[in-house]
Amino acid sequence: MTTPPHPSYPEDLERPGLVRTGRSTFVRPIRPEDADRLVAFVGTLSRATLAYRSLGPVVRARDDVIRRGAHVDYLDELALIALDGDDIAGLVRYVRDPEEPEHAAVTFTIRDDHQSEGFGRLLLEHIAAAARARGIRVLEADVLADNARMINVFLGSGYRTQAGPPGQIIHFEIAVDPQAQAVARAERREQTAVRRSLTPLFEPRSVAVIGANRDPRTIGHEIVANLLRGGFAGSVFPVNPRADHIAGARAYAGVRDLPEPPDLALVAVRAEAVPGVVRECAEVGVKAVVVVSTGFGETGAEGRAGELELARFARASGMRLVGPNCMGVVNTTPGARLAATFSPALPAPGRVAMSSQSGPLGLAVLDYARRLRLGFSGFVSVGHAVDVSTDELLQWWEEDPGTSVILLHVETFGDPRRFARVARRIAPRKPIVAVHPGHADSAVGSLFAQSGVIRTRSLQELFDVALLLAHQPPPPGNRVAVITNAGGPAALTVGACAASGLSVPTLGDHTRQALRPFLAPHADVRNPIDLTPTATAAHYRHALDAALADDGIDAAIVLFMPPLADKPDEVASAILDAAAARPDKPVLASFLGGAGVADLLHRGDLVVPTYTFPEAAATSLGHAAAYQTWRSTPAGVVPDLPGVDAEQARALIAACSPGPVPAPVAADLLAAYGITVRGGDPGPGPDAFLTVRADPVFGPVVAFGLTGDYADLMADVAHRVTPLSDRDAREMVRSLRAAPLLDGRSGGPGVDLAALEETVLRISAMVEDHPGIEALELRPVRLLPPGDGVAVAHATIRLAGTTTAGGSP
């Protein structure tokens, strides 16, 4: 295989990393300017480590030979280094076999003081992904038989390994295809490392505030004051060279003057001073830094480059970094009591955690949550999120026993595939509710739908849903009873329920018979249950008891018009009593026009969420019902598909130039994945299309829809982000508004849905296996009657100019 004359440095391989102990690092390809750094690295290695590396007696190479190791072509030879500050902590290198281009020899070298921390396994995951994207399928390694650490790295990786005959040297062959076991083990390792790395952020033993100020009107002063009045049990160190005390706490001139290295440092200084402060924090051993300061990415390209360099330095120095341009961290759990923020509104303890990417928005969020009486277990304003990311915060709250609902305000995604993987793991146990500003972004909607994330259209809706899920269970179904003392609001509620995917069915005969003797003669007991304006608390209690006892009802929305009846406190008490008697079915309320009613619907741990208008209650309940349906559906798997010849496809792609693939080659590529392109009249049935585009953020996105007016005028197109599971494919083809044409509900015979779903899965597998496919379109695809399959009439495929990695290992 030829080497490009001017290889470009692959910036996409620069990634932050966490080892098993929770220590952060930065992994990147080696560069020619690393030559001296490489010499210094080799000079620190013990004779034992050198012997393991050279598979025999130690022979120290000359410095000029070592320096040549910093020059690679990033294709046939690639070396990745993990940094410890400015030094190399570990190195992995592969060299492609010229006789077998899909094989490469790989070697690992870890500095003695970092062995047993997990650097070897981390570097294996990174080099496997890079090798896979460069057409290498097998990494080969020779290991001395007594090198137990390296042997355990290979055997415990989850990748398919084949070891040669036992002897003094063991030969390993590691297949770098992303096996499910390898992914699962990488996820477990990542989860453990993430939680350990974030412990100093959420549960620090001491906190320094750099940029603390004596003026109560400043951010630096408010952070110190909040830490002290929030009940933080550890040491608080204000840092200001011109103050003796701040907010009652002794101040220190600089970070190096502190009596002990703090676990956490909050930085509130001018942007130009931040890099120097962060460097000082690294030098004294600070484990986590929150940069509150502004003046970075929001100022333009230069500011963005500065904050990325700040993150790289923090990672390489073993620190985690939140921000910049953020408002801090809150943890209300009793063992922490951390209010590391300048927000004047501190949340009450509760079971909701939230991550927000906007600092100013966070101020409004905490104030609004306090007015709603919505308690928080934790809150993090991630700002520009150059290091600590949303998916890492999810992994912290995943194992937090005090968190039952997670809220996200997400503007951008660092690694969407990792976010999807983490969210899909958490969502069946803890609902995740998110708001994203890109309402029309199909990729974001697809990502959330596949991951079980509840997507809301506004912050108001986000908190409406949170209010329900924090205090009531998701409904077992979508059937709702509406109880009211006024007909107009009830009609609005029924309409809102229908718009939210809920039904308001007629109550069963037994329920109606039970209701009539206790209600006014003119009360309507069908559903909605209209108690009339004369209804009392006893009427509400009896009606709600009966509705919740009905097997055909899954939830109840209770409406009360205070001007039509007296004693709202008695009605609220009756609603609480009925809700307590049936904790398996959610109860929501709307006391229209009643100020302060939310307080009436709280009784210890029992809370019935109340809304100013009933439409909000119906919308929230609709989200909760859809979420319950999602988590009740068996989890999907990415199936092994018969009739796939990935090797043939790889050879076809290797023989093509970037750009459009000739039609016969495109047909052969699809045939290698069990999809036949055929002309002529395939028979009766609607026509559809399947396309794939390579999104620069989300990776391959599959689109499916019916041709003609359905897609062109109604925008009736379903999207999913690869890789697709069988559940994703099933939900995708059934999510169209035109789905009744496909499954026979419109009166016709329907189409072969099983064959259509399989075709979607084969397309997903194809673009996942071959990241060089930039775009793909099957149009038209004739959808034939059940049992007859699908017929692809035409196909186009386009290859990218360069091959990039297709996801995380």
Side-chain angles (χ1 to χ4, degrees):
M1 182 171 291
T2 59
T3 299
H6 302 290
S8 59
Y9 176 78
E11 291 187 3
D12 61 298
L13 296 184
E14 291 189 345
R15 299 281 181 87
L18 292 172
V19 296
R20 185 185 63 254
T21 60
R23 177 187 178 85
S24 66
T25 184
F26 192 75
V27 179
R28 65 167 173 82
I30 203 165
R31 300 192 287 248
E33 56 265 34
D34 292 320
D36 289 338
R37 184 179 283 112
L38 187 59
V39 170
F41 168 68
V42 174
T44 66
L45 303 178
S46 67
R47 295 179 64 85
T49 296
L50 287 170
Y52 283 139
R53 172 64 180 81
S54 58
L55 301 178
V58 175
V59 178
R60 289 194 178 270
R62 300 195 315 269
D63 286 355
D64 61 324
V65 175
I66 297 172
R67 286 192 175 89
R68 284 203 293 271
H71 297 264
V72 297
D73 62 22
Y74 305 114
L75 182 63
D76 293 338
E77 182 178 8
L78 174 66
L80 302 178
I81 57 176
L83 293 175
D84 173 21
D86 293 329
D87 301 324
I88 298 175
L91 178 146
V92 61
R93 182 189 305 271
Y94 80 62
V95 178
R96 194 190 300 265
D97 186 338
E99 301 298 325
E100 293 185 84
E102 293 184 347
H103 287 236
V106 64
T107 56
F108 294 79
T109 311
I110 311 299
R111 209 170 71 195
D112 289 69
D113 56 339
H114 288 301
Q115 292 175 7
S116 298
E117 292 183 6
F119 276 91
R121 190 157 294 172
L122 175 69
L123 288 172
L124 174 58
E125 292 170 12
H126 283 253
I127 200 71
R132 187 165 61 244
R134 286 155 178 76
I136 293 171
R137 296 187 303 107
V138 178
L139 294 174
E140 300 186 28
D142 290 324
V143 183
L144 287 177
D146 63 344
N147 190 352
R149 288 172 178 165
M150 204 67 241
I151 292 172
N152 288 335
V153 166
F154 293 144
L155 295 180
S157 67
Y159 291 106
R160 289 186 293 117
T161 59
Q162 181 177 346
Q168 185 179 4
I169 296 176
I170 301 176
H171 180 76
F172 280 96
E173 293 191 355
I174 304 110
V176 298
D177 51 328
Q179 295 294 305
Q181 187 181 38
V183 172
R185 291 187 181 181
E187 285 182 1
R188 287 196 297 272
R189 187 200 63 78
E190 175 190 70
Q191 183 183 10
T192 299
V194 165
R195 285 192 58 80
R196 287 175 176 169
S197 78
L198 295 184
T199 297
L201 177 68
F202 283 100
E203 300 174 354
R205 294 165 297 181
S206 54
V207 181
V209 181
I210 304 163
N213 198 297
R214 287 174 292 191
D215 186 348
R217 296 167 297 178
T218 61
I219 286 176
H221 184 279
E222 277 302 291
I223 294 173
V224 176
N226 277 341
L227 283 165
L228 296 173
R229 66 172 169 253
F232 179 61
S235 300
V236 177
F237 304 129
V239 176
N240 185 322
R242 292 179 296 277
D244 295 327
H245 289 82
I246 294 176
R250 178 187 171 184
Y252 297 84
V255 177
R256 292 187 177 89
D257 301 309
L258 299 178
E260 63 183 68
D263 287 340
L264 173 65
L266 285 96
V267 180
V269 299
R270 299 185 314 277
E272 58 269 24
V274 169
V277 168
V278 171
R279 182 170 291 276
E280 284 189 1
C281 288
E283 290 171 354
V284 303
V286 174
K287 297 181 177 65
V289 178
V290 176
V291 179
V292 177
S293 310
T294 61
F296 288 91
E298 74 277 11
T299 65
E302 185 177 347
R304 180 61 178 169
E307 67 186 17
L308 292 177
E309 181 57 38
L310 197 66
R312 281 192 285 266
F313 172 79
R315 278 287 196 162
S317 301
M319 293 190 302
R320 300 309 312 269
L321 185 147
V322 175
N325 193 14
C326 70
M327 55 170 287
V329 179
V330 175
N331 185 3
T332 68
T333 56
R337 305 289 296 173
L338 178 72
T341 176
F342 57 87
S343 171
L346 297 180
R351 303 193 64 78
V352 176
M354 183 173 182
S355 165
S356 171
Q357 279 194 254
S358 169
L361 182 64
L363 295 172
V365 161
L366 292 181
D367 180 65
Y368 184 62
R370 186 174 60 177
R371 288 188 280 120
L372 279 181
R373 293 192 59 176
L374 184 65
F376 276 69
S377 60
F379 179 88
V380 180
S381 166
V382 295
H384 295 169
V386 294
D387 178 28
V388 172
S389 60
T390 300
D391 56 81
E392 291 181 306
L393 295 176
L394 284 175
Q395 293 181 79
W396 175 269
W397 289 319
E398 176 183 9
E399 300 299 329
D400 178 20
T403 298
S404 58
V405 181
I406 303 172
L407 308 183
L408 305 177
H409 166 253
V410 184
E411 294 178 354
T412 59
F413 292 89
D415 187 339
R417 290 177 170 230
R418 185 167 69 170
F419 170 87
R421 197 172 65 237
V422 171
R424 189 179 296 199
R425 185 178 74 225
I426 297 172
R429 296 183 290 114
K430 296 184 180 183
I432 302 170
V433 192
V435 62
H436 182 277
H439 293 302
D441 193 327
S442 60
V444 173
S446 303
L447 189 75
F448 286 164
Q450 289 174 256
S451 308
V453 175
I454 301 170
R455 186 182 188 183
T456 60
R457 294 165 293 184
S458 65
L459 281 168
Q460 176 70 59
E461 195 173 299
L462 178 87
F463 279 96
D464 287 343
V465 177
L467 198 61
L468 167 59
L469 293 175
H471 301 302
Q472 295 283 310
N478 70 338
R479 301 164 300 178
V480 183
V482 178
I483 301 171
T484 183
N485 64 346
L492 291 173
T493 305
V494 171
C497 284
S500 302
L502 303 169
S503 68
V504 183
T506 300
L507 298 175
D509 291 339
H510 181 270
T511 303
R512 284 180 288 165
Q513 291 171 6
L515 282 170
R516 284 195 180 96
F518 293 91
L519 302 182
H522 301 296
D524 189 339
V525 296
R526 290 173 300 178
N527 198 14
I529 305 172
D530 189 348
L531 304 178
T532 75
T534 62
T536 65
H539 291 138
Y540 270 94
R541 172 65 196 272
H542 188 77
L544 189 51
D545 280 341
L548 294 175
D550 191 319
D551 291 338
I553 294 297
D554 302 305
I557 298 177
V558 184
L559 312 179
F560 179 70
M561 291 287 288
L564 302 180
D566 294 330
K567 301 180 179 178
D569 54 335
E570 294 183 4
V571 173
S573 181
I575 293 171
L576 287 168
D577 290 341
R582 287 304 302 259
D584 57 320
K585 295 184 179 181
V587 177
L588 297 78
S590 178
F591 277 39
L592 291 90
V597 174
D599 292 340
L600 301 179
L601 289 165
H602 282 246
R603 182 190 293 163
D605 292 335
L606 175 61
V607 178
V608 170
T610 181
Y611 303 87
T612 303
F613 298 109
E615 296 92 336
T619 300
S620 301
L621 190 59
H623 281 302
Y627 164 72
Q628 178 63 17
T629 298
W630 177 86
R631 74 173 185 176
S632 300
T633 304
V637 297
V638 179
D640 292 326
L641 299 166
V644 170
D645 190 344
E647 300 302 322
Q648 172 66 12
R650 189 174 289 110
L652 290 167
I653 291 173
C656 292
S657 301
V661 173
V665 178
D668 290 343
L669 267 174
L670 290 163
Y673 277 79
I675 300 172
T676 302
V677 179
R678 63 193 189 205
D681 184 6
D687 283 338
F689 62 87
L690 274 168
T691 66
V692 179
R693 65 177 177 85
D695 186 276
V697 175
F698 294 90
V701 178
V702 181
F704 166 71
L706 299 183
T707 58
D709 291 347
Y710 291 103
D712 299 337
L713 299 181
M714 300 171 59
D716 191 15
V717 181
H719 298 83
R720 290 295 185 271
V721 178
T722 65
L724 270 66
S725 68
D726 51 3
R727 173 176 172 172
D728 295 330
R730 184 170 58 252
E731 292 177 348
M732 181 182 188
V733 302
R734 288 167 170 77
S735 66
L736 298 181
R737 293 193 295 277
L741 295 175
L742 305 180
D743 60 17
R745 283 180 288 163
S746 63
V751 303
D752 195 336
L753 287 174
L756 175 58
E757 293 165 15
E758 183 176 322
T759 302
V760 171
L761 289 170
R762 290 181 181 276
I763 290 297
S764 171
M766 182 175 177
V767 297
E768 279 291 301
D769 289 347
H770 309 288
I773 296 177
E774 183 178 64
L776 179 151
E777 181 171 358
L778 308 184
R779 184 193 296 262
V781 179
R782 180 65 55 84
L783 307 180
L784 302 176
D788 291 344
V790 300
V792 178
H794 183 70
T796 59
I797 296 176
R798 181 180 180 85
L799 299 181
T802 57
T803 301
T804 56
S808 302

